[in-house]
Short mmCIF file of all heavy atoms in Angstrom, two decimals:
data_model
loop_
_atom_site.label_atom_id
_atom_site.label_comp_id
_atom_site.label_asym_id
_atom_site.label_seq_id
_atom_site.Cartn_x
_atom_site.Cartn_y
_atom_site.Cartn_z
N MET A 1 11.15 154.04 -91.91
CA MET A 1 10.50 152.79 -92.26
C MET A 1 10.22 151.98 -90.98
O MET A 1 9.28 151.20 -90.94
CB MET A 1 11.46 151.99 -93.16
CG MET A 1 10.81 150.75 -93.74
SD MET A 1 11.76 149.93 -94.94
CE MET A 1 11.18 150.70 -96.41
N THR A 2 10.91 152.20 -89.93
CA THR A 2 10.69 151.50 -88.69
C THR A 2 9.38 151.91 -88.04
O THR A 2 8.73 151.14 -87.33
CB THR A 2 11.85 151.80 -87.68
OG1 THR A 2 13.14 151.55 -88.30
CG2 THR A 2 11.76 150.92 -86.47
N LEU A 3 9.01 153.12 -88.28
CA LEU A 3 7.75 153.66 -87.66
C LEU A 3 6.51 152.87 -88.14
O LEU A 3 5.48 152.79 -87.48
CB LEU A 3 7.56 155.14 -88.02
CG LEU A 3 8.58 156.07 -87.37
CD1 LEU A 3 8.35 157.51 -87.92
CD2 LEU A 3 8.51 156.05 -85.88
N ILE A 4 6.57 152.29 -89.34
CA ILE A 4 5.45 151.50 -89.82
C ILE A 4 5.15 150.30 -89.02
O ILE A 4 4.05 149.87 -88.78
CB ILE A 4 5.70 151.11 -91.32
CG1 ILE A 4 5.78 152.38 -92.15
CG2 ILE A 4 4.58 150.19 -91.85
CD1 ILE A 4 6.23 152.11 -93.61
N PHE A 5 6.17 149.68 -88.45
CA PHE A 5 6.08 148.45 -87.65
C PHE A 5 5.77 148.65 -86.17
O PHE A 5 5.50 147.65 -85.51
CB PHE A 5 7.33 147.60 -87.88
CG PHE A 5 7.52 147.20 -89.32
CD1 PHE A 5 8.55 147.79 -90.04
CD2 PHE A 5 6.72 146.28 -89.98
CE1 PHE A 5 8.80 147.41 -91.39
CE2 PHE A 5 6.93 145.94 -91.28
CZ PHE A 5 7.95 146.54 -92.00
N ILE A 6 5.85 149.82 -85.69
CA ILE A 6 5.56 150.06 -84.26
C ILE A 6 4.26 149.62 -83.78
O ILE A 6 4.10 148.98 -82.81
CB ILE A 6 5.92 151.53 -83.93
CG1 ILE A 6 7.42 151.70 -83.97
CG2 ILE A 6 5.43 151.90 -82.52
CD1 ILE A 6 7.86 153.23 -83.77
N PRO A 7 3.12 149.96 -84.56
CA PRO A 7 1.86 149.55 -84.12
C PRO A 7 1.67 148.03 -84.00
O PRO A 7 0.81 147.54 -83.23
CB PRO A 7 0.88 150.12 -85.11
CG PRO A 7 1.59 151.31 -85.68
CD PRO A 7 3.03 150.89 -85.65
N LEU A 8 2.42 147.27 -84.67
CA LEU A 8 2.30 145.84 -84.61
C LEU A 8 2.75 145.27 -83.26
O LEU A 8 2.35 144.16 -82.90
CB LEU A 8 3.13 145.21 -85.75
CG LEU A 8 2.67 145.52 -87.23
CD1 LEU A 8 3.60 144.88 -88.20
CD2 LEU A 8 1.30 145.08 -87.39
N PHE A 9 3.61 145.98 -82.51
CA PHE A 9 4.14 145.51 -81.28
C PHE A 9 3.29 145.94 -80.08
O PHE A 9 3.63 145.62 -78.96
CB PHE A 9 5.56 146.01 -81.08
CG PHE A 9 6.48 145.39 -82.12
CD1 PHE A 9 7.13 146.22 -83.09
CD2 PHE A 9 6.73 144.01 -82.27
CE1 PHE A 9 7.95 145.69 -84.04
CE2 PHE A 9 7.50 143.48 -83.19
CZ PHE A 9 8.19 144.35 -84.09
N LEU A 10 2.19 146.67 -80.31
CA LEU A 10 1.32 147.09 -79.21
C LEU A 10 0.31 146.10 -79.00
O LEU A 10 -0.42 145.65 -79.87
CB LEU A 10 0.65 148.45 -79.56
CG LEU A 10 1.56 149.66 -79.61
CD1 LEU A 10 0.75 150.84 -80.06
CD2 LEU A 10 2.19 149.93 -78.33
N GLY A 11 0.20 145.64 -77.72
CA GLY A 11 -0.78 144.59 -77.38
C GLY A 11 -2.09 145.25 -76.89
O GLY A 11 -2.17 146.50 -76.83
N PRO A 12 -3.08 144.50 -76.58
CA PRO A 12 -4.33 145.01 -76.13
C PRO A 12 -4.18 145.85 -74.86
O PRO A 12 -4.87 146.85 -74.64
CB PRO A 12 -5.19 143.83 -75.93
CG PRO A 12 -4.35 142.61 -76.04
CD PRO A 12 -3.08 143.06 -76.65
N THR A 13 -3.38 145.44 -73.96
CA THR A 13 -3.20 146.18 -72.75
C THR A 13 -2.61 147.62 -72.98
O THR A 13 -3.09 148.56 -72.40
CB THR A 13 -2.19 145.41 -71.77
OG1 THR A 13 -2.62 144.07 -71.61
CG2 THR A 13 -2.12 146.08 -70.40
N GLU A 14 -1.61 147.65 -73.86
CA GLU A 14 -1.05 148.99 -74.18
C GLU A 14 -2.05 149.86 -74.86
O GLU A 14 -2.15 151.04 -74.56
CB GLU A 14 0.14 148.83 -75.06
CG GLU A 14 1.38 148.27 -74.34
CD GLU A 14 1.43 146.72 -74.35
OE1 GLU A 14 0.55 146.12 -74.94
OE2 GLU A 14 2.34 146.16 -73.73
N LEU A 15 -2.85 149.32 -75.78
CA LEU A 15 -3.86 150.10 -76.48
C LEU A 15 -4.91 150.60 -75.50
O LEU A 15 -5.33 151.74 -75.62
CB LEU A 15 -4.54 149.25 -77.55
CG LEU A 15 -3.64 148.91 -78.74
CD1 LEU A 15 -4.35 148.02 -79.72
CD2 LEU A 15 -3.19 150.22 -79.50
N ILE A 16 -5.35 149.81 -74.55
CA ILE A 16 -6.37 150.18 -73.56
C ILE A 16 -5.76 151.31 -72.77
O ILE A 16 -6.45 152.30 -72.40
CB ILE A 16 -6.84 149.05 -72.69
CG1 ILE A 16 -7.68 148.11 -73.62
CG2 ILE A 16 -7.64 149.51 -71.54
CD1 ILE A 16 -8.03 146.77 -72.91
N LEU A 17 -4.53 151.19 -72.32
CA LEU A 17 -3.90 152.17 -71.52
C LEU A 17 -3.79 153.57 -72.27
O LEU A 17 -4.04 154.61 -71.72
CB LEU A 17 -2.51 151.73 -71.12
CG LEU A 17 -1.72 152.68 -70.21
CD1 LEU A 17 -2.42 152.84 -68.86
CD2 LEU A 17 -0.30 152.11 -70.01
N ILE A 18 -3.42 153.45 -73.56
CA ILE A 18 -3.36 154.72 -74.33
C ILE A 18 -4.73 155.33 -74.45
O ILE A 18 -4.88 156.58 -74.35
CB ILE A 18 -2.74 154.39 -75.73
CG1 ILE A 18 -1.24 154.04 -75.56
CG2 ILE A 18 -2.89 155.53 -76.73
CD1 ILE A 18 -0.61 153.43 -76.80
N LEU A 19 -5.78 154.56 -74.72
CA LEU A 19 -7.11 155.10 -74.79
C LEU A 19 -7.55 155.71 -73.55
O LEU A 19 -8.26 156.76 -73.56
CB LEU A 19 -8.06 153.99 -75.27
CG LEU A 19 -7.91 153.54 -76.64
CD1 LEU A 19 -8.89 152.33 -76.91
CD2 LEU A 19 -8.21 154.64 -77.64
N LEU A 20 -7.21 155.13 -72.37
CA LEU A 20 -7.58 155.73 -71.10
C LEU A 20 -6.90 157.08 -70.89
O LEU A 20 -7.46 158.00 -70.40
CB LEU A 20 -7.25 154.75 -70.00
CG LEU A 20 -8.22 153.55 -69.86
CD1 LEU A 20 -7.69 152.62 -68.76
CD2 LEU A 20 -9.62 154.06 -69.52
N VAL A 21 -5.63 157.17 -71.26
CA VAL A 21 -4.87 158.38 -71.11
C VAL A 21 -5.51 159.46 -71.95
O VAL A 21 -5.69 160.65 -71.54
CB VAL A 21 -3.42 158.18 -71.42
CG1 VAL A 21 -2.68 159.49 -71.50
CG2 VAL A 21 -2.78 157.34 -70.35
N VAL A 22 -5.83 159.14 -73.21
CA VAL A 22 -6.45 160.08 -74.09
C VAL A 22 -7.81 160.57 -73.55
O VAL A 22 -8.16 161.75 -73.59
CB VAL A 22 -6.65 159.50 -75.54
CG1 VAL A 22 -7.48 160.32 -76.34
CG2 VAL A 22 -5.24 159.34 -76.17
N LEU A 23 -8.59 159.60 -72.99
CA LEU A 23 -9.87 160.00 -72.39
C LEU A 23 -9.67 160.90 -71.20
O LEU A 23 -10.44 161.85 -71.08
CB LEU A 23 -10.61 158.69 -72.01
CG LEU A 23 -12.01 158.89 -71.43
CD1 LEU A 23 -12.90 159.47 -72.52
CD2 LEU A 23 -12.52 157.51 -70.97
N LEU A 24 -8.68 160.69 -70.43
CA LEU A 24 -8.42 161.51 -69.27
C LEU A 24 -7.97 162.92 -69.69
O LEU A 24 -8.35 163.92 -69.05
CB LEU A 24 -7.39 160.91 -68.34
CG LEU A 24 -7.90 159.69 -67.50
CD1 LEU A 24 -6.73 159.09 -66.78
CD2 LEU A 24 -8.98 160.15 -66.54
N LEU A 25 -7.17 163.00 -70.72
CA LEU A 25 -6.68 164.27 -71.17
C LEU A 25 -7.70 165.12 -71.80
O LEU A 25 -7.74 166.33 -71.55
CB LEU A 25 -5.43 164.06 -72.12
CG LEU A 25 -4.14 163.53 -71.55
CD1 LEU A 25 -3.12 163.34 -72.65
CD2 LEU A 25 -3.59 164.55 -70.51
N PHE A 26 -8.51 164.52 -72.71
CA PHE A 26 -9.39 165.35 -73.50
C PHE A 26 -10.83 165.30 -72.94
O PHE A 26 -11.63 166.19 -73.28
CB PHE A 26 -9.44 164.87 -74.97
CG PHE A 26 -8.10 165.14 -75.65
CD1 PHE A 26 -7.23 164.09 -75.95
CD2 PHE A 26 -7.78 166.39 -75.98
CE1 PHE A 26 -6.03 164.30 -76.53
CE2 PHE A 26 -6.53 166.65 -76.61
CZ PHE A 26 -5.71 165.67 -76.93
N GLY A 27 -11.20 164.31 -72.25
CA GLY A 27 -12.58 164.23 -71.73
C GLY A 27 -13.45 163.57 -72.72
O GLY A 27 -13.20 163.50 -73.89
N GLY A 28 -14.63 163.05 -72.22
CA GLY A 28 -15.55 162.33 -73.10
C GLY A 28 -16.23 163.25 -74.10
O GLY A 28 -16.65 162.74 -75.17
N ARG A 29 -16.44 164.47 -73.77
CA ARG A 29 -17.19 165.32 -74.69
C ARG A 29 -16.32 165.86 -75.84
O ARG A 29 -16.85 166.17 -76.91
CB ARG A 29 -17.76 166.50 -73.95
CG ARG A 29 -18.86 166.09 -73.00
CD ARG A 29 -19.48 167.27 -72.32
NE ARG A 29 -20.45 166.83 -71.34
CZ ARG A 29 -21.13 167.67 -70.58
NH1 ARG A 29 -20.89 168.98 -70.66
NH2 ARG A 29 -22.04 167.14 -69.70
N LYS A 30 -15.03 166.03 -75.58
CA LYS A 30 -14.17 166.63 -76.61
C LYS A 30 -13.72 165.65 -77.68
O LYS A 30 -13.42 166.08 -78.82
CB LYS A 30 -12.92 167.22 -75.85
CG LYS A 30 -12.18 168.21 -76.63
CD LYS A 30 -12.98 169.49 -76.82
CE LYS A 30 -12.14 170.54 -77.39
NZ LYS A 30 -12.88 171.74 -77.73
N ILE A 31 -13.62 164.35 -77.37
CA ILE A 31 -13.11 163.41 -78.32
C ILE A 31 -14.00 163.28 -79.55
O ILE A 31 -13.47 163.31 -80.63
CB ILE A 31 -12.98 162.00 -77.65
CG1 ILE A 31 -11.87 162.11 -76.59
CG2 ILE A 31 -12.68 160.88 -78.62
CD1 ILE A 31 -11.66 160.86 -75.78
N PRO A 32 -15.35 163.27 -79.49
CA PRO A 32 -16.16 163.22 -80.73
C PRO A 32 -15.91 164.47 -81.59
O PRO A 32 -15.89 164.42 -82.82
CB PRO A 32 -17.57 163.19 -80.22
CG PRO A 32 -17.48 162.51 -78.88
CD PRO A 32 -16.29 163.03 -78.31
N GLU A 33 -15.74 165.66 -80.91
CA GLU A 33 -15.46 166.85 -81.69
C GLU A 33 -14.12 166.76 -82.47
O GLU A 33 -14.01 167.19 -83.56
CB GLU A 33 -15.46 168.07 -80.77
CG GLU A 33 -16.82 168.39 -80.14
CD GLU A 33 -16.72 169.50 -79.15
OE1 GLU A 33 -15.77 170.21 -79.16
OE2 GLU A 33 -17.66 169.64 -78.34
N LEU A 34 -13.09 166.18 -81.75
CA LEU A 34 -11.78 166.08 -82.40
C LEU A 34 -11.89 165.07 -83.55
O LEU A 34 -11.33 165.35 -84.64
CB LEU A 34 -10.78 165.52 -81.37
CG LEU A 34 -10.38 166.49 -80.21
CD1 LEU A 34 -9.57 165.77 -79.20
CD2 LEU A 34 -9.67 167.71 -80.78
N MET A 35 -12.59 164.01 -83.38
CA MET A 35 -12.75 162.97 -84.51
C MET A 35 -13.54 163.57 -85.71
O MET A 35 -13.23 163.34 -86.81
CB MET A 35 -13.41 161.72 -83.97
CG MET A 35 -12.55 160.92 -83.01
SD MET A 35 -10.94 160.41 -83.72
CE MET A 35 -9.84 161.42 -82.74
N ARG A 36 -14.56 164.37 -85.32
CA ARG A 36 -15.38 164.96 -86.42
C ARG A 36 -14.48 165.92 -87.23
O ARG A 36 -14.54 165.99 -88.49
CB ARG A 36 -16.55 165.72 -85.81
CG ARG A 36 -17.65 166.14 -86.75
CD ARG A 36 -18.81 166.73 -86.02
NE ARG A 36 -19.35 165.79 -85.06
CZ ARG A 36 -19.50 166.06 -83.74
NH1 ARG A 36 -19.10 167.16 -83.27
NH2 ARG A 36 -20.01 165.11 -83.00
N GLY A 37 -13.66 166.74 -86.54
CA GLY A 37 -12.79 167.64 -87.24
C GLY A 37 -11.73 166.94 -88.14
O GLY A 37 -11.42 167.35 -89.20
N LEU A 38 -11.26 165.84 -87.49
CA LEU A 38 -10.29 165.01 -88.30
C LEU A 38 -10.92 164.45 -89.53
O LEU A 38 -10.33 164.42 -90.60
CB LEU A 38 -9.75 163.89 -87.36
CG LEU A 38 -8.70 163.00 -87.98
CD1 LEU A 38 -7.47 163.78 -88.24
CD2 LEU A 38 -8.40 161.84 -87.02
N GLY A 39 -12.18 163.92 -89.40
CA GLY A 39 -12.90 163.39 -90.52
C GLY A 39 -13.10 164.44 -91.62
O GLY A 39 -12.95 164.16 -92.82
N ARG A 40 -13.50 165.61 -91.20
CA ARG A 40 -13.70 166.70 -92.20
C ARG A 40 -12.40 167.05 -92.89
O ARG A 40 -12.36 167.28 -94.15
CB ARG A 40 -14.20 167.92 -91.49
CG ARG A 40 -15.66 167.82 -91.07
CD ARG A 40 -16.13 169.09 -90.42
NE ARG A 40 -17.48 168.88 -89.86
CZ ARG A 40 -17.96 169.57 -88.85
NH1 ARG A 40 -17.25 170.36 -88.25
NH2 ARG A 40 -19.17 169.29 -88.41
N GLY A 41 -11.26 167.08 -92.20
CA GLY A 41 -9.99 167.36 -92.73
C GLY A 41 -9.58 166.29 -93.80
O GLY A 41 -9.09 166.67 -94.85
N VAL A 42 -9.77 165.11 -93.38
CA VAL A 42 -9.42 163.94 -94.36
C VAL A 42 -10.29 164.03 -95.61
O VAL A 42 -9.83 163.87 -96.70
CB VAL A 42 -9.61 162.58 -93.63
CG1 VAL A 42 -9.45 161.48 -94.66
CG2 VAL A 42 -8.51 162.51 -92.54
N ARG A 43 -11.60 164.28 -95.38
CA ARG A 43 -12.51 164.35 -96.54
C ARG A 43 -12.09 165.55 -97.50
O ARG A 43 -12.04 165.40 -98.70
CB ARG A 43 -13.93 164.56 -96.04
CG ARG A 43 -14.95 164.48 -97.22
CD ARG A 43 -16.35 164.61 -96.76
NE ARG A 43 -16.63 164.03 -95.46
CZ ARG A 43 -17.19 164.69 -94.39
NH1 ARG A 43 -17.38 166.00 -94.50
NH2 ARG A 43 -17.35 164.09 -93.23
N GLU A 44 -11.73 166.67 -96.89
CA GLU A 44 -11.33 167.85 -97.71
C GLU A 44 -10.04 167.54 -98.44
O GLU A 44 -9.92 167.89 -99.63
CB GLU A 44 -11.17 169.02 -96.80
CG GLU A 44 -10.84 170.29 -97.50
CD GLU A 44 -10.76 171.50 -96.55
OE1 GLU A 44 -11.51 171.54 -95.57
OE2 GLU A 44 -9.92 172.43 -96.84
N PHE A 45 -9.13 166.85 -97.80
CA PHE A 45 -7.90 166.52 -98.40
C PHE A 45 -8.16 165.54 -99.60
O PHE A 45 -7.56 165.71 -100.68
CB PHE A 45 -6.91 165.80 -97.42
CG PHE A 45 -5.66 165.36 -98.03
CD1 PHE A 45 -4.64 166.26 -98.34
CD2 PHE A 45 -5.39 164.00 -98.34
CE1 PHE A 45 -3.47 165.87 -98.85
CE2 PHE A 45 -4.27 163.59 -98.87
CZ PHE A 45 -3.26 164.55 -99.19
N LYS A 46 -8.95 164.56 -99.38
CA LYS A 46 -9.28 163.60 -100.51
C LYS A 46 -9.89 164.35 -101.69
O LYS A 46 -9.58 164.07 -102.82
CB LYS A 46 -10.20 162.47 -99.98
CG LYS A 46 -9.47 161.47 -99.18
CD LYS A 46 -10.46 160.35 -98.77
CE LYS A 46 -9.76 159.27 -97.90
NZ LYS A 46 -10.72 158.27 -97.49
N ASP A 47 -10.89 165.20 -101.35
CA ASP A 47 -11.57 165.95 -102.46
C ASP A 47 -10.57 166.83 -103.24
O ASP A 47 -10.66 166.86 -104.44
CB ASP A 47 -12.68 166.80 -101.91
CG ASP A 47 -13.85 165.93 -101.39
OD1 ASP A 47 -13.96 164.78 -101.75
OD2 ASP A 47 -14.72 166.54 -100.64
N SER A 48 -9.68 167.47 -102.51
CA SER A 48 -8.73 168.33 -103.18
C SER A 48 -7.69 167.53 -104.01
O SER A 48 -7.26 168.00 -105.02
CB SER A 48 -8.03 169.24 -102.24
OG SER A 48 -7.24 168.53 -101.31
N SER A 49 -7.32 166.37 -103.48
CA SER A 49 -6.38 165.54 -104.23
C SER A 49 -7.00 164.92 -105.47
O SER A 49 -6.26 164.62 -106.47
CB SER A 49 -5.80 164.46 -103.33
OG SER A 49 -6.79 163.51 -102.96
N LYS A 50 -8.28 164.76 -105.44
CA LYS A 50 -8.97 164.23 -106.66
C LYS A 50 -9.19 165.21 -107.69
O LYS A 50 -9.42 164.94 -108.84
CB LYS A 50 -10.37 163.62 -106.25
CG LYS A 50 -10.28 162.34 -105.50
CD LYS A 50 -11.65 161.76 -105.10
CE LYS A 50 -11.62 160.54 -104.36
NZ LYS A 50 -12.97 160.13 -104.00
N GLY A 51 -9.16 166.48 -107.32
CA GLY A 51 -9.40 167.58 -108.24
C GLY A 51 -10.79 167.98 -108.33
O GLY A 51 -11.27 168.50 -109.36
N ASP A 52 -11.63 167.77 -107.29
CA ASP A 52 -13.03 168.09 -107.27
C ASP A 52 -13.19 169.53 -106.77
O ASP A 52 -13.99 169.85 -105.88
CB ASP A 52 -13.82 167.13 -106.41
CG ASP A 52 -13.88 165.76 -106.95
OD1 ASP A 52 -13.63 165.63 -108.18
OD2 ASP A 52 -14.19 164.84 -106.22
N ASP A 53 -12.43 170.44 -107.35
CA ASP A 53 -12.48 171.82 -106.89
C ASP A 53 -13.78 172.47 -107.24
O ASP A 53 -14.21 173.41 -106.60
CB ASP A 53 -11.32 172.68 -107.51
CG ASP A 53 -10.00 172.24 -106.86
OD1 ASP A 53 -9.98 171.70 -105.75
OD2 ASP A 53 -8.99 172.42 -107.57
N LYS A 54 -14.38 172.05 -108.30
CA LYS A 54 -15.69 172.67 -108.73
C LYS A 54 -16.75 172.47 -107.66
O LYS A 54 -17.41 173.44 -107.37
CB LYS A 54 -16.18 172.04 -110.03
CG LYS A 54 -15.31 172.28 -111.18
CD LYS A 54 -15.77 171.66 -112.47
CE LYS A 54 -14.84 171.93 -113.65
NZ LYS A 54 -15.27 171.21 -114.82
N ASP A 55 -16.83 171.30 -107.05
CA ASP A 55 -17.76 171.07 -106.01
C ASP A 55 -17.53 171.91 -104.83
O ASP A 55 -18.38 172.51 -104.13
CB ASP A 55 -17.80 169.58 -105.59
CG ASP A 55 -18.26 168.68 -106.69
OD1 ASP A 55 -19.03 169.17 -107.57
OD2 ASP A 55 -17.91 167.53 -106.70
N GLY A 56 -16.28 172.05 -104.43
CA GLY A 56 -15.91 172.84 -103.23
C GLY A 56 -16.23 174.34 -103.47
O GLY A 56 -16.62 175.00 -102.56
N LYS A 57 -15.91 174.85 -104.64
CA LYS A 57 -16.17 176.24 -104.93
C LYS A 57 -17.64 176.50 -104.92
O LYS A 57 -18.09 177.57 -104.50
CB LYS A 57 -15.51 176.63 -106.24
CG LYS A 57 -14.00 176.67 -106.21
CD LYS A 57 -13.43 177.11 -107.51
CE LYS A 57 -11.89 177.10 -107.45
NZ LYS A 57 -11.29 177.37 -108.72
N ASP A 58 -18.44 175.63 -105.51
CA ASP A 58 -19.88 175.90 -105.55
C ASP A 58 -20.43 175.85 -104.13
O ASP A 58 -21.28 176.69 -103.82
CB ASP A 58 -20.58 174.82 -106.39
CG ASP A 58 -20.26 174.90 -107.84
OD1 ASP A 58 -19.85 175.98 -108.25
OD2 ASP A 58 -20.42 173.91 -108.56
N ALA A 59 -19.98 175.03 -103.25
CA ALA A 59 -20.45 174.89 -101.91
C ALA A 59 -20.05 176.19 -101.14
O ALA A 59 -20.84 176.76 -100.36
CB ALA A 59 -19.92 173.68 -101.21
N ASP A 60 -18.86 176.72 -101.40
CA ASP A 60 -18.42 177.93 -100.74
C ASP A 60 -19.18 179.16 -101.20
O ASP A 60 -19.51 180.02 -100.41
CB ASP A 60 -16.89 178.17 -100.97
CG ASP A 60 -16.05 177.22 -100.21
OD1 ASP A 60 -16.50 176.49 -99.24
OD2 ASP A 60 -14.84 177.09 -100.56
N SER A 61 -19.43 179.22 -102.49
CA SER A 61 -20.22 180.34 -103.00
C SER A 61 -21.67 180.33 -102.52
O SER A 61 -22.22 181.45 -102.25
CB SER A 61 -20.18 180.35 -104.53
OG SER A 61 -20.86 179.21 -105.06
N LYS A 62 -22.30 179.17 -102.27
CA LYS A 62 -23.59 179.08 -101.75
C LYS A 62 -23.60 179.52 -100.29
O LYS A 62 -24.58 180.16 -99.87
CB LYS A 62 -24.12 177.62 -101.82
CG LYS A 62 -24.38 177.17 -103.23
CD LYS A 62 -24.94 175.78 -103.31
CE LYS A 62 -25.12 175.32 -104.75
NZ LYS A 62 -25.51 173.93 -104.80
N LYS A 63 -22.59 179.23 -99.55
CA LYS A 63 -22.53 179.59 -98.16
C LYS A 63 -22.37 181.11 -98.03
O LYS A 63 -22.95 181.76 -97.15
CB LYS A 63 -21.27 178.91 -97.44
CG LYS A 63 -21.54 177.43 -97.15
CD LYS A 63 -20.31 176.90 -96.52
CE LYS A 63 -20.39 175.41 -96.34
NZ LYS A 63 -19.18 174.84 -95.72
N ARG A 64 -21.59 181.70 -98.84
CA ARG A 64 -21.34 183.17 -98.87
C ARG A 64 -22.52 183.96 -99.26
O ARG A 64 -22.84 185.02 -98.77
CB ARG A 64 -20.12 183.55 -99.63
CG ARG A 64 -18.84 182.99 -99.08
CD ARG A 64 -17.69 183.41 -99.95
NE ARG A 64 -16.48 182.67 -99.55
CZ ARG A 64 -15.43 182.61 -100.26
NH1 ARG A 64 -15.36 183.18 -101.47
NH2 ARG A 64 -14.40 181.98 -99.86
N GLY A 65 -23.21 183.51 -100.32
CA GLY A 65 -24.25 184.29 -100.92
C GLY A 65 -25.55 183.81 -100.57
O GLY A 65 -26.53 184.23 -100.26
#
């Protein structure tokens, strides 16, 4: 439960420092790819949790055939 409150204690200086470190580690070209993959994963998770398996199966069968 303590983990929920940790982001509240980060100030703008700490957030900028974290963003700079992430930029240095991954580079400017890799970050959009990582975010795009994360977005696809979240979208797939939401679709599967809603039970929209019919849409996913139709899209997969169209790709294969």
Side-chain angles (χ1 to χ4, degrees):
M1 188 174 269
T2 308
L3 293 175
I4 295 172
F5 298 109
I6 288 175
L8 296 177
F9 297 115
L10 292 176
T13 307
E14 289 88 1
L15 291 175
I16 291 171
L17 183 64
I18 292 170
L19 290 174
L20 286 174
V21 170
V22 168
L23 184 62
L24 287 174
L25 287 176
F26 293 107
R29 293 184 182 178
K30 198 68 172 174
I31 293 175
E33 294 175 18
L34 292 171
M35 293 299 114
R36 195 174 301 122
L38 181 66
R40 287 180 186 153
V42 169
R43 188 179 324 122
E44 185 176 326
F45 177 76
K46 285 182 180 180
D47 290 344
S48 65
S49 66
K50 288 181 184 177
D52 293 341
D53 291 334
K54 294 178 183 176
D55 295 335
K57 288 180 183 175
D58 291 339
D60 288 341
S61 64
K62 289 178 184 177
K63 288 180 185 177
R64 292 181 190 163

